[in-house]
């Protein structure tokens, strides 16, 4: 018997409170299994049949929607069979029982890479995914947003084609149904590619929700139930959208970063809550499509993860593009007007203000997804913040044979970090001594223009009292950037004067997403400015800004 969350009037989601039972406990009709916090107050969820707790499918503190499965109550236990071990014996007879060298929970860029790498190294691998292979990145994150970014860039290029001597007659329009259809085609092709790689590498893929029974056993609830025993386990469940406590988030015109990717109705105006990576990427997507855009950011500047001068440059570029930026602003509530428009109330140091728009996009961020894992049964510990799974540099948790990788660790929420962590974790499972090194992790923001950074940035180096030299070069001194009509932005390199090595780099400008790989290679291998200045860069390319910035660390750039 599956116990589900009933519909609660007045709210879309509720929060799981105190869970009163554990796997193996006997329950009777009417026993309180859990307290759930709803918009109408606390509500007890009770057993609807006699039996024993087979699986717990929710986590304390997690957000749940109506019809979410909470508990699996087994009704057929014979008298006296109430212990957890007896329950497992019964469960095994009712499920497909599997054993595997490595069990991976989650099929995103961490999980599926770990699976392929482990299989190529001779391990038998089982991967469990509750949704679609590819995880957030491939289905509702990196790839879909970049498909929209490209479509919006094409629209922007068409609108500015006359600068290049190309005349386009008539009004340029955006067919959002085709934009979304193209995005889905790309996503589906890549998902099918991962599915092919799973088959090619003889990886057993199971669809369903994985829940720990104990530290060696995981139950999977899907179209078929499984009981899986594994020598080693990797948790790679990724992240979920964070939900701020803002009244009005359930209104029909409110989007999040997932629903926005399937929205075929292009608004005339939109208010974006959050000026971080997701918020600013969508700000330029919508603006390039001709939408009137407001960005409301709680902090005193947008993109707080980059240096101040990078943030300020992007702020100026955004405002020149007619994106309205409101920093130091807190959203108080979202309401619907009499004509169904969105009314956003926010406050800053000057008091309360209103913005009226067709739609609202909430882009606050993401948090580790632990829903349904029953992690307490594995004895795996969370980090000191209680947000994400605690791991060491080998990606091992406090339980020797259980590892965690990717967003669920809440270290760095980047797909390529998850993939690298996957290889580190598998290497350690194979008996190799491997540690994760975060000193040269590239990060890209796909705004217009792009932003990319790697290593230690200037602000952090200064805050830590490091003896540094900064080399800079503007894209307006780069011939290729001028031919592209993209002269805005600059590159800067950070040199540690003690070691003479390049320890960081930031780029805002054309091709930043590609150029950052060269800087990553240089920083990861401890290059000095001399090694860069003595390297020949092809002309005319945007990569020449790297050479010029390195020269600026010494005698000075030649072309500015």
């Amino acid at each position: 018997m599956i116990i589900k969350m009933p519909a609660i009037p007045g709210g879309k989601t509720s929060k799981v409170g105190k869970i009163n039972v554990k796997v193996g406990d006997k329950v009777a009709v009417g026993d309180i299994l859990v307290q759930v916090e709803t918009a109408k107050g606390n509500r007890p969820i009770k057993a609807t049949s006699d039996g024993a707790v087979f699986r717990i499918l929710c986590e304390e503190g997690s957000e749940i929607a109506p019809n979410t499965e909470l508990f699996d109550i087994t009704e057929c236990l014979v008298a006296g069979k109430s212990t957890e071990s007896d329950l497992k014996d019964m469960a095994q007879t009712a499920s497909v029982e599997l054993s595997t060298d490595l069990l991976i929970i989650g099929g995103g860029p961490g999980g599926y890479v770990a699976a392929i790498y482990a299989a190529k190294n001779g391990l038998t691998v089982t991967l469990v995914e509750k949704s679609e292979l590819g995880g957030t990145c491939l289905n509702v994150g990196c790839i879909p947003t970049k498909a929209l970014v490209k479509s919006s860039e094409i629209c922007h290029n068409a609108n500015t084609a006359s600068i290049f001597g190309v005349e386009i007659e008539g009004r340029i329009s955006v067919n959002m149904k085709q934009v979304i259809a193209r995005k889905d085609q790309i996503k589906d092709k890549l998902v099918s590619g991962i599915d092919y790689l799973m088959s090619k590498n003889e990886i057993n893929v199971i669809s369903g929700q994985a829940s720990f029974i104990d530290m060696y056993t995981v139950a999977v609830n899907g179209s078929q139930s499984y009981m899986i025993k594994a020598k080693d386990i990797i948790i790679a469940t990724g992240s979920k959208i964070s939900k701020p406590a803002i009244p009005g988030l359930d209104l029909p015109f409110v989007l999040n970063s997932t629903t926005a990717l399937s929205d075929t109705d292009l608004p005339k105006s939109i208010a974006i809550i959050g000026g971080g990576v997701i918020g600013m990427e969508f700000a330029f997507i919508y603006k390039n499509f001709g939408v009137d855009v407001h960005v409301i950011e709680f902090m005193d500047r947008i993109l707080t993860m980059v240096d101040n001068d990078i943030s300020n440059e992007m702020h100026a570029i955004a405002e020149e593009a007619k994106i309205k930026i409101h920093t130091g602003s807190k959203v108080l509530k979202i309401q619907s007007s009499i004509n169904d428009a969105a009314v956003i109330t926010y406050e800053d140091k000057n008091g309360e203000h209103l913005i009226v728009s067709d739609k609202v996009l909430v882009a606050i961020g993401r948090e580790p997804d632990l829903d349904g894992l029953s992690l307490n049964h594995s004895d795996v510990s969370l980090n000191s913040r209680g947000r994400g799974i605690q791991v060491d540099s080998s990606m091992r948790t406090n339980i020797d044979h259980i590892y965690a990788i990717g967003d669920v660790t809440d270290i760095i929420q980047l797909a390529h970090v998850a993939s690298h962590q996957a290889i580190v974790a598998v290497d350690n499972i194979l008996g190799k001594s491997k540690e994760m090194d975060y000193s040269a992790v590239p990060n890209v923001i796909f705004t217009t223009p792009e932003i990319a950074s790697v290593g230690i940035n200037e602000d952090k180096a200064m805050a830590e009292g490091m003896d540094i030299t900064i080399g800079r070069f503007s894209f307006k001194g780069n011939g290729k950037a001028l031919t592209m009509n993209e002269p805005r932005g600059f590159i800067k390199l950070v040199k540690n004067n003690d070691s003479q090595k390049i320890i960081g780099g930031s780029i805002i400008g054309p091709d930043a997403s590609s150029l950052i790989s060269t800087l990553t290679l240089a920083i990861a291998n401890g290059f000095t400015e001399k090694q860069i200045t003595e390297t020949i860069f092809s002309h005319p390319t945007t990569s020449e800004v790297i050479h010029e910035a390195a020269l600026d660390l010494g005698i000075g750039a030649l072309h500015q």
Side-chain angles (χ1 to χ4, degrees):
M1 169 69 69
I2 299 293
I3 307 296
K4 298 183 179 181
M5 180 65 197
I8 302 294
K12 282 189 174 181
T13 63
S14 305
K15 180 179 285 189
V16 177
K18 175 67 175 176
I19 296 175
N20 298 323
V21 294
K22 63 181 184 296
V23 171
D25 283 356
K26 275 186 176 181
V27 294
V29 173
D31 285 351
I32 297 176
L33 305 174
V34 64
Q35 293 283 351
V36 176
E37 300 172 21
T38 74
K40 302 293 185 179
N42 285 350
R43 174 169 181 161
I45 304 299
K46 300 178 180 179
T48 55
S49 64
D50 295 340
V53 180
F54 177 30
R55 288 175 296 166
I56 299 175
L57 306 174
C58 57
E59 295 270 353
E60 291 184 3
S62 63
E63 294 284 341
I64 55 173
N67 211 39
T68 299
E69 295 181 349
L70 303 177
F71 298 90
D72 188 352
I73 305 299
T74 301
E75 302 173 77
C76 58
L77 286 179
V78 298
K81 294 241 176 180
S82 59
T83 67
E84 189 167 343
S85 60
D86 287 333
L87 180 61
K88 292 172 193 171
D89 290 340
M90 182 281 304
Q92 289 172 349
T93 63
S95 308
V96 175
E97 183 179 354
L98 298 176
S99 62
T100 185
D101 291 336
L102 176 61
L103 170 64
I104 300 169
I105 305 174
Y112 84 74
V113 168
I116 295 170
Y117 187 67
K120 285 182 176 295
N121 277 279
L123 298 181
T124 60
V125 181
T126 298
L127 185 147
V128 178
E129 170 56 52
K130 64 182 177 182
S131 184
E132 291 187 86
L133 289 172
T136 295
C137 175
L138 187 49
N139 292 283
V140 291
C142 321
I143 299 299
T145 55
K146 275 42 186 203
L148 266 60
V149 164
K150 186 60 181 180
S151 292
S152 75
E153 285 177 350
I154 296 295
C155 185
H156 174 73
N157 292 340
N159 281 314
T160 58
S162 61
I163 295 173
F164 298 88
V166 179
E167 301 293 339
I168 299 177
E169 296 183 4
R171 178 178 174 272
I172 296 170
S173 62
V174 178
N175 182 344
M176 279 305 290
K177 289 184 178 179
Q178 176 57 28
V179 169
I180 299 302
R182 176 179 176 272
K183 177 265 298 182
D184 289 339
Q185 289 168 3
I186 295 168
K187 181 205 76 169
D188 291 344
K189 183 175 183 178
L190 291 172
V191 169
S192 65
I194 295 173
D195 190 54
Y196 163 75
L197 291 173
M198 296 294 102
S199 176
K200 175 185 176 182
N201 289 281
E202 299 182 349
I203 296 161
N204 183 21
V205 178
I206 295 174
S207 179
Q209 170 66 58
S211 304
F212 279 96
I213 297 299
D214 58 40
M215 64 177 63
Y216 287 99
T217 312
V218 171
V220 179
N221 180 35
S223 56
Q224 169 70 60
S225 296
Y226 292 86
M227 211 55 138
I228 305 172
K229 288 189 175 295
K231 296 177 183 176
D232 293 284
I233 299 172
I234 295 178
I235 303 170
T237 49
S239 60
K240 60 183 179 180
I241 295 171
S242 297
K243 296 192 67 177
I246 300 174
L249 289 184
D250 57 346
L251 290 169
F253 46 65
V254 177
L255 305 171
N256 58 40
S257 58
T258 295
T259 56
L261 292 171
S262 299
D263 187 15
T264 58
D265 179 23
L266 187 67
K268 291 183 178 179
S269 59
I270 192 166
I272 299 175
I273 302 175
V277 173
I278 298 172
M280 292 309 299
E281 287 187 350
F282 270 103
F284 279 95
I285 289 172
Y286 282 113
K287 190 60 195 177
N288 288 338
F289 280 146
V291 178
D292 183 39
V293 179
H294 286 262
V295 175
I296 308 168
E297 169 56 43
F298 179 76
M299 303 298 287
D300 61 359
R301 64 184 179 97
I302 58 172
L303 299 172
T304 55
M305 71 293 301
V306 301
D307 278 338
N308 267 284
D309 55 354
I310 300 279
S311 173
N312 292 338
E313 179 78 354
M314 181 49 69
H315 191 132
I317 291 171
E319 291 196 328
E320 287 178 18
K322 303 291 194 267
I323 297 172
K324 293 94 172 174
I325 307 287
H326 311 272
T327 54
S329 301
K330 179 182 180 181
V331 175
L332 301 177
K333 58 184 175 181
I334 304 170
Q335 297 171 291
S336 180
S337 70
I338 56 174
N339 60 350
D340 296 326
V343 180
I344 302 95
T345 303
Y346 73 93
E347 66 176 356
D348 59 17
K349 62 182 179 181
N350 297 315
E352 291 191 6
H353 311 273
L354 298 178
I355 293 175
V356 179
S357 63
D358 292 339
K359 293 187 179 181
V360 178
L361 170 62
V362 180
I364 300 299
R366 302 182 67 85
E367 61 189 68
D369 186 1
L370 301 172
D371 293 350
L373 271 179
S374 298
L375 199 62
N376 54 307
H377 297 156
S378 69
D379 292 334
V380 167
S381 298
L382 299 183
N383 58 32
S384 58
R385 302 180 303 278
R387 177 188 165 103
I389 296 174
Q390 179 69 43
V391 293
D392 60 18
S393 59
S394 68
M395 307 314 300
R396 185 181 280 109
T397 70
N398 59 299
I399 305 300
D400 282 347
H401 67 281
I402 301 180
Y403 297 74
I405 59 175
D407 288 6
V408 76
T409 67
D410 202 36
I411 297 173
I412 299 178
Q413 292 186 353
L414 293 171
H416 46 281
V417 170
S419 296
H420 199 75
Q421 289 173 333
I423 293 173
V424 169
V426 173
D427 274 343
N428 281 287
I429 288 169
L430 293 169
K432 305 173 186 177
S433 181
K434 188 72 71 72
E435 293 188 351
M436 189 67 194
D437 180 5
Y438 300 100
S439 62
V441 174
N443 187 22
V444 180
I445 305 170
F446 289 87
T447 43
T448 307
E450 298 171 341
I451 298 172
S453 60
V454 63
I456 299 174
N457 61 25
E458 181 182 6
D459 289 353
K460 182 178 180 181
M462 294 293 289
E464 294 180 0
M466 299 177 67
D467 182 14
I468 61 172
T469 299
I470 302 296
R472 297 171 66 98
F473 189 77
S474 171
F475 276 94
K476 63 186 177 184
N478 178 262
K480 181 62 181 296
L482 292 177
T483 68
M484 299 163 69
N485 194 42
E486 297 184 48
R488 289 300 300 264
F490 56 87
I491 179 177
K492 63 176 179 176
L493 301 181
V494 182
K495 180 180 76 171
N496 184 323
N497 292 330
D498 293 331
S499 67
Q500 294 298 303
K501 293 179 180 180
I502 308 298
I503 60 171
S506 298
I507 307 170
I508 175 171
D511 295 336
S513 60
S514 297
L515 298 178
I516 201 64
S517 295
T518 300
L519 293 187
T520 302
L521 187 64
I523 292 168
N525 289 279
F527 281 15
T528 65
E529 66 181 89
K530 183 179 180 181
Q531 288 172 293
I532 296 177
T533 58
E534 292 184 351
T535 299
I536 299 174
F537 287 77
S538 57
H539 173 79
T541 64
T542 52
S543 68
E544 291 172 280
V545 300
I546 298 173
H547 188 257
E548 292 281 1
L551 284 168
D552 195 51
L553 289 168
I555 64 171
L558 301 182
H559 290 87
Q560 73 176 11

